[in-house]
Amino acid sequence: MSNITEIQQAILALPEADYLQFRRWFSELDWAKWDRQIEADSENGKLDFLITEALEAKEEGTLKDL
């Protein structure tokens, strides 16, 4: 596999239409990875503090409607 510098140079050399297609693909890949991480963190209880904070804010009357 190419090293990162070669990959970067190849990206910079892409025609605009191909670059836009690559950027869209990479963004979707990045968001999918983020979604998997959030799901894993949620399943492992790493985000439970958010629920606790929201319930405490609701009880205190400081919870803001979105």
Side-chain angles (χ1 to χ4, degrees), residues 2-63:
S2 301
N3 67 35
I4 191 70
T5 302
E6 291 171 336
I7 294 168
Q8 289 170 335
Q9 290 172 349
I11 292 169
L12 291 172
L14 289 172
E16 186 67 18
D18 291 343
Y19 173 73
L20 293 174
Q21 182 180 356
F22 169 77
R23 188 174 70 176
R24 189 171 27 257
W25 169 82
F26 193 81
S27 178
E28 290 170 4
L29 178 69
D30 200 36
W31 279 111
K33 185 175 181 176
W34 176 254
D35 287 345
R36 287 190 302 273
Q37 184 64 54
I38 292 291
E39 187 175 324
D41 287 350
S42 178
E43 289 173 359
N44 292 324
K46 291 182 180 179
L47 303 178
D48 289 353
F49 74 96
L50 295 171
I51 295 169
T52 302
E53 287 178 11
L55 291 173
E56 289 172 358
K58 183 176 181 180
E59 188 175 301
E60 295 168 0
T62 59
L63 185 66

